Amino acid sequence: MFEYVGGLFDRAQPATFALVCSALLHYAVLATRSETAQALWQLSRRQRRLTVRAAFVLLGLCATVALIPFSLFGAGVALILTASVRLASPRKQGWTVPELDVHILTEVFFHSTALVGTALGINFIALGHYSDLQNGQRVTITLTLLIGSVVAVNKSTTRTRKLCTEITKGVSGVRRHMESLHSVRELNKNSERLPDKRQECHEKIDDLSRALDTRLNTGYRQLGTRVLPVDTFKTLMTDLHTAADEADRENLSWSQASPLLDEIRAACAKHVDEMA
């Protein structure tokens, strides 16, 4: 076992040495150029986190490519670690409702890429560890993992389309019931139907809230990406419930929430799939 591990490091030594030297050189340049360091730390916390993530992913991809000629096992480990950055650290802030369509597309793309990267990493590890496999066995392992990654990607994208469909339905339901509530109030502010109409609106808002609080790409809440940033989501729900209580078409809460609902529906409508 120790001889095998030692052999891996021996074969990967040139690439590892080059990567370490490159990282040290980059760090030295960054540390000595004060204006570069100051510019980095002047970024917001979110921007610094994204910058570090991007740098780590780029370094991981470079390490993977550099290690392939020397050690498939090491390349597989590097690729899995790179993919885990994306899978284990979902976005929580950093986009707005007008950018929701782009947010959905990029999250689907990067999540799918991470799933495929994980499968490739496992494939590299298997082929590197069992180096005496015949070609037929290697092809079988590769195809099995490739098909598995395709299934995982399809399941993830299907989930996103289904969620977008539910959100679109939820927004339409809220708008219809709010319109009915406003019409009843405009006809008679003391109508006996108002309490029931308010209750129906609150129920539809709760349905929409559950849909918007569902993660885009996975059922694991800690690993999935939100549809809306937390602050935007909470503000929208508060405005909608307030608008239902006020039952006034000209109410400030409804005036703020209504355009957001239209933008959310427009973004999700591009991914609607009733058959998903």
Side-chain angles (χ1 to χ4, degrees), residues 35-270:
E35 66 276 9
T36 303
Q38 291 176 1
L40 177 62
W41 286 106
Q42 285 175 356
L43 297 175
S44 66
R45 182 180 179 184
R46 178 183 63 84
Q47 290 173 323
R48 288 200 301 270
R49 187 185 301 116
L50 291 175
T51 302
V52 171
R53 282 179 56 184
F56 189 87
V57 169
L58 181 60
L59 181 62
L61 292 177
C62 292
T64 301
V65 174
L67 287 171
I68 286 177
F70 304 98
S71 170
L72 280 178
F73 185 92
V77 172
L79 190 55
I80 289 178
L81 289 176
T82 303
S84 67
V85 174
R86 174 61 185 81
L87 295 175
S89 57
R91 295 176 66 192
K92 296 181 180 179
Q93 301 286 346
W95 70 98
T96 61
V97 174
E99 300 169 338
L100 182 56
D101 182 34
V102 176
H103 168 65
I104 294 173
L105 289 174
T106 54
E107 285 303 308
V108 168
F109 173 77
F110 287 117
H111 186 76
S112 300
T113 302
L115 292 175
V116 174
T118 301
L120 286 176
I122 296 174
N123 183 55
F124 286 166
I125 290 175
L127 297 183
H129 182 71
Y130 300 103
S131 56
D132 56 344
L133 291 176
Q134 297 179 357
N135 290 336
Q137 294 171 319
R138 289 173 174 269
V139 171
T140 300
I141 293 175
T142 301
L143 288 179
T144 300
L145 290 171
L146 178 61
I147 293 173
S149 67
V150 171
V151 172
V153 168
N154 180 67
K155 186 175 182 180
S156 177
T157 54
T158 299
R159 174 189 178 86
T160 301
R161 297 197 306 273
K162 187 179 297 184
L163 177 59
C164 287
T165 302
E166 291 301 316
I167 291 174
T168 303
K169 291 180 179 179
V171 171
S172 298
V174 169
R175 293 199 67 89
R176 283 196 303 270
H177 282 76
M178 290 294 290
E179 180 63 29
S180 177
L181 174 64
H182 294 156
S183 298
V184 170
R185 184 181 183 278
E186 289 170 356
L187 290 175
N188 184 1
K189 294 183 179 181
N190 299 318
S191 174
E192 296 180 353
R193 299 171 57 196
L194 277 177
D196 291 337
K197 289 295 182 180
R198 284 195 180 96
Q199 182 61 31
E200 291 175 1
C201 285
H202 284 301
E203 290 176 356
K204 289 298 180 180
I205 293 169
D206 289 339
D207 291 341
L208 177 61
S209 175
R210 285 190 291 271
L212 289 174
D213 198 33
T214 303
R215 301 303 183 258
L216 267 174
N217 39 32
T218 178
Y220 299 100
R221 295 182 63 83
Q222 299 302 321
L223 300 179
T225 303
R226 301 183 62 91
V227 179
L228 298 177
V230 178
D231 294 340
T232 304
F233 170 75
K234 291 181 178 179
T235 301
L236 177 61
M237 291 301 108
T238 300
D239 286 342
L240 287 175
H241 282 294
T242 302
D245 290 333
E246 296 294 335
D248 186 357
R249 194 188 305 273
E250 304 301 326
N251 181 267
L252 178 61
S253 296
W254 178 244
S255 299
Q256 293 175 342
S258 181
L260 292 182
L261 290 179
D262 291 337
E263 291 178 337
I264 292 171
R265 181 167 57 183
C268 292
K270 299 178 182 180

